[in-house]
Amino acid sequence: MAVEMDKVVSLTKRRGFLFQSSEIYGGLNGFWDYGPLGVELKRNVKECWWRDMVTSHDELAAPPGAPMPYEMTGLDSTIIMHPQIWKCSGHYDLFHDFMVDCRESKKRYRHDQVNGRWVDARGQRFFVTTQLGGTEGEDETQQRALKFLNLRAKDAPSLAWDGPLVSLTTVADFSQVLGPDAKTLGTLTPPREFNLMFKTYVGALSGEEGAAFLRPETAQGIFVNFKNVVDSSRVRVPFGIAQMGKSFRNEITPRNFTFRSREFEQMEIEFFCQPQSSPEWYQYWRDRRYRWYTELGLAGERLRMREHHAEELSHYSCGTADIEYAFPFLPPGEFGELEGVAHRGDFDLRSHMEGKLVRQGNDLVVELGPDGKPRHPGSGRDLSYFDDFTRERFVPHVIEPSAGADRATLAFLCEAYQEDSVPDEKGEPRTRVYLKFHPRLAPIKAAVFPLVKKDGMPEIAVDIYRALKPHFNVFYDEKGSVGRRYARQDEAGTPYCITVDSQTLADQTVTFRDRDTLEQTRVRVDDCVEEVRRRLTGN
RNA sequence: GCGGGUGUAGCUCAAUGGUAGAGCAAUAGCCUUCCAAGCUAAAGACGAGGGUUCGAUUCCCUUCACCCGCUCCA
């Protein structure tokens, strides 16, 4: 598998699909550029998504599996938004983790998730830590203290505990701290802040009052525009708002080619529906999104849908399924997320109304600060929806199919990579590398060749190229042998090659060569545009 | 951020304390009548910075990037 990924990476570089960002300066970890073929491929992925989800959606009839007809519309919000948005969404608190490292065990812990308690014993006073809480944490700290002092369980009464289990955040000096996996004192580094959101400053003066963040997801731009869209576009619940765009996460460890990038592009839908029908819509969107990938060629066993376990669900979610792909760089049996389809309830709209929410039992309540007021106040705007038909007012529930455009592009690339054996000019088998893209995704739709560069063939081929060019991204080539030109197009994933030969001079037909089957059929010169269109749309 | 490995042409690889060769690809031309043929020409690299040395691609240090394992992944 690792070998295959190397081949894919090598091909993408060689043929100009993907380059490392800032390569001539040594590169920048977690950032990638799309080259001439890559930009076409990624554009096609995004255009397929937008067309299939938004512009070609028929809002007059319920699609198969949908509870009822629904509307789809789009949005393009800014990357930098009001900082309060990220406080209410929960990203601010979650993304500002302080971490401590253990020099001895080489492990890393979240500062606020390490607990411990002070103990006096054998003339020493030190802080014994654990990652557990409650009575489990007390048991563990007792065992660890005894072990540290080389005492037996019967010596437990000689330990003088000073106070209950408290967070490591209450301890200023770590010199007398026994780390969760350490055998000696003082192995923990001071807490260091990990900013998982990119910070920037709005305005020429870079004071903290101007601090803002590059969005870590596009979704919040949709939620904060919910009322604008409802008030301006005549959409009625149930409806969805789609958005594509860049997002930024300062990943600790970018890895695996473009899979975990720090700058990446999302394709997100927020689908607003009535609370009582949300489970049906959740099912619909899971299935609809899974089918989208299979229709574009991820049809094999390498694609799967995985429902999250209850304990895996985010704090706001009451159902999430991941659409996953077995990328070649992953160990056998492991899958990487392409898209998460989440039932988010009314968490987001309510957060932007009331303030940041936390789960309390089965309910979501506004998180309060030390002063008893909301920790992160919301906008105070009413984001509820009045349904004229049922005469009901409610806060819509949300189904969120959130896809990674770069991850989808990478999966389509990996899936497309093929090798087979084709006899060459002398009849010897030769390895052929080709990208078996779905025609809709292929960067170049067709290539036009004169079989040889004489007898007027180039002139006819150029005419065909010019006839096709206004409709499709096509490529003209007359250099070298025709076999070499075919091979180059195979490597770029071009599904069709059109060749002008000597028969063309006699009967005005050309050969249409299929990338996958290598079959050639004759088509009239005047029918080329229609033939390409027919093959691309499958009609 | 830690540990291990790697870094020479677009790709795959050589050699060397005295500034580097090849195959394939790519470019130009000739030739070519269906799957990377052939001939000719020209072009192209020691990841970056610093140190040792008369001289460093080679030795040392730092840094950047990639791979593997930890850690992380809302």
Side-chain angles (χ1 to χ4, degrees):
Chain A
M1 279 309 168
V3 175
E4 189 187 330
M5 192 61 205
D6 288 346
K7 289 181 177 176
V8 175
V9 172
S10 171
L11 177 64
T12 57
K13 171 81 188 288
R14 182 156 44 86
R15 292 309 307 261
F17 282 93
L18 278 160
F19 307 124
Q20 186 165 28
S21 168
S22 318
E23 193 180 89
I24 63 169
Y25 284 102
L28 193 58
N29 199 353
F31 297 88
W32 299 89
D33 295 337
Y34 286 83
L37 287 179
V39 65
E40 296 297 336
L41 174 64
K42 186 175 165 185
R43 272 171 46 88
N44 290 342
V45 170
K46 291 193 293 180
E47 281 181 10
C48 281
W49 181 84
W50 190 263
R51 171 164 288 276
D52 293 346
M53 294 300 115
V54 184
T55 53
S56 76
H57 169 66
D58 179 355
E59 62 192 32
L60 303 179
M68 59 188 290
Y70 62 92
E71 296 176 70
M72 287 296 294
T73 188
L75 184 76
D76 186 5
S77 68
T78 58
I79 286 170
I80 296 172
M81 297 189 276
H82 196 292
Q84 191 67 19
I85 287 171
W86 307 111
K87 293 183 175 173
C88 289
S89 70
H91 290 86
Y92 182 86
D93 291 340
L94 277 165
F95 274 34
H96 280 71
D97 294 341
F98 281 85
M99 310 291 284
V100 296
D101 290 311
C102 179
R103 298 187 188 92
E104 181 190 308
S105 67
K106 304 297 182 193
K107 287 186 184 293
R108 169 174 291 165
Y109 314 95
R110 262 180 63 175
H111 187 212
D112 59 350
Q113 285 185 352
V114 176
N115 298 316
R117 46 181 182 156
W118 288 99
V119 63
D120 290 287
R122 295 286 175 97
Q124 287 194 75
R125 174 178 166 78
F126 57 100
F127 189 75
V128 189
T129 62
T130 173
Q131 295 190 82
L132 303 173
T135 51
E136 284 182 331
E138 291 186 5
D139 291 347
E140 165 135 328
T141 48
Q142 173 155 314
Q143 284 173 18
R144 298 200 60 228
L146 291 170
K147 186 165 186 183
F148 175 72
L149 296 165
N150 279 317
L151 297 176
R152 291 160 180 265
K154 66 181 170 60
D155 298 318
S158 70
L159 301 174
W161 294 103
D162 180 8
L165 216 55
V166 293
S167 169
L168 182 64
T169 56
T170 63
V171 179
D173 176 10
F174 288 179
S175 65
Q176 297 302 305
V177 171
L178 180 65
D181 297 282
K183 294 188 177 64
T184 54
L185 297 179
T187 62
L188 296 183
T189 64
R192 285 175 290 192
E193 187 177 3
F194 280 72
N195 290 304
L196 268 50
M197 282 197 291
F198 282 94
K199 198 175 196 175
T200 189
Y201 299 91
V202 177
L205 294 172
S206 57
E208 275 309 298
E209 67 277 5
F213 301 98
L214 308 192
R215 65 183 176 199
E217 63 172 31
T218 57
Q220 299 303 323
I222 299 179
F223 293 126
V224 300
N225 276 296
F226 170 74
K227 196 167 164 47
N228 280 338
V229 172
V230 168
D231 290 348
S232 64
S233 71
R234 298 179 66 205
V235 290
R236 293 163 42 93
V237 169
F239 72 96
I241 303 176
Q243 173 165 222
M244 302 187 292
K246 287 286 182 74
S247 292
F248 303 82
R249 296 180 192 181
N250 218 342
E251 300 286 355
I252 295 171
T253 311
R255 278 279 168 91
N256 291 332
F257 208 23
T258 61
F259 183 76
R260 180 164 293 134
S261 298
R262 287 175 163 145
E263 174 175 341
F264 58 102
E265 190 146 13
Q266 292 185 298
M267 306 184 293
E268 294 197 293
I269 296 169
E270 304 301 332
F271 187 81
F272 301 93
C273 58
Q274 291 198 322
Q276 55 269 32
S277 61
S278 63
E280 291 172 76
W281 284 112
Y282 171 62
Q283 283 297 323
Y284 167 73
W285 279 107
R286 285 175 72 233
D287 300 342
R288 177 70 194 92
R289 291 302 307 151
Y290 185 85
R291 207 167 67 242
W292 186 78
Y293 291 98
T294 62
E295 286 166 355
L296 285 172
L298 298 189
E301 293 175 354
R302 303 183 76 84
L303 186 73
R304 76 171 182 193
M305 176 106 72
R306 188 178 66 85
E307 198 85 34
H308 282 209
H309 306 295
E311 62 269 23
E312 198 181 349
L313 293 177
S314 311
H315 53 297
Y316 49 76
S317 182
C318 34
T320 297
D322 283 348
I323 298 169
E324 301 180 325
Y325 183 72
F327 286 99
F329 50 75
L330 296 172
E334 285 194 20
F335 288 69
E337 181 183 345
L338 291 179
E339 172 160 351
V341 182
H343 185 311
R344 295 174 67 104
D346 57 4
F347 174 83
D348 301 281
L349 289 179
R350 274 186 59 203
S351 293
H352 290 303
M353 293 168 66
E354 305 164 26
K356 188 201 168 196
L357 302 172
V358 289
R359 183 169 291 282
Q360 198 169 84
N362 286 326
D363 298 320
L364 291 168
V365 299
V366 176
E367 183 179 354
L368 301 178
D371 56 0
K373 294 178 180 171
R375 178 168 147 78
H376 297 307
S379 67
R381 299 299 186 88
D382 181 7
L383 303 181
S384 65
Y385 175 83
F386 183 75
D387 189 323
D388 283 315
F389 189 68
T390 60
R391 312 296 296 171
E392 285 177 318
R393 179 169 289 281
F394 57 92
V395 178
H397 279 211
V398 170
I399 312 300
E400 179 191 82
S402 170
D406 306 274
R407 288 183 175 185
T409 303
L410 182 59
F412 287 125
L413 257 173
C414 292
E415 184 82 7
Y417 186 91
Q418 306 279 329
E419 288 180 5
D420 64 8
S421 188
V422 172
D424 66 12
E425 204 174 39
K426 302 185 187 103
E428 300 289 321
R430 178 174 175 139
T431 301
R432 180 176 74 123
V433 172
Y434 66 110
L435 292 175
K436 197 175 179 177
F437 290 127
H438 188 287
R440 289 181 72 190
L441 297 178
I444 301 168
K445 304 305 183 192
V448 186
F449 308 144
L451 184 58
V452 289
K453 203 164 51 175
K454 62 182 184 185
D455 298 344
M457 292 183 201
E459 290 75 8
I460 299 173
V462 166
D463 285 345
I464 295 171
Y465 164 79
R466 290 194 176 128
L468 288 164
K469 195 68 175 170
H471 308 282
F472 315 105
N473 189 26
V474 295
F475 185 82
Y476 176 79
D477 193 1
E478 59 179 30
K479 304 281 176 60
S481 73
V482 74
R484 175 185 298 257
R485 284 175 268 158
Y486 284 145
R488 277 200 283 247
Q489 293 305 316
D490 288 341
E491 237 180 27
T494 305
Y496 311 112
C497 290
I498 299 167
T499 303
V500 173
D501 57 16
S502 51
Q503 190 178 331
T504 309
L505 309 175
D507 68 0
Q508 283 77 52
T509 64
V510 293
T511 61
F512 253 71
R513 170 198 185 260
D514 183 276
R515 173 196 64 203
D516 303 333
T517 65
L518 303 180
E519 282 174 9
Q520 296 190 37
T521 53
R522 295 209 75 91
V523 174
R524 289 174 43 80
V525 169
D526 293 340
D527 294 342
C528 280
V529 171
E530 202 43 48
E531 180 65 15
V532 174
R533 190 191 313 283
R534 190 186 69 78
R535 293 182 184 229
L536 287 178
T537 57
N539 296 319

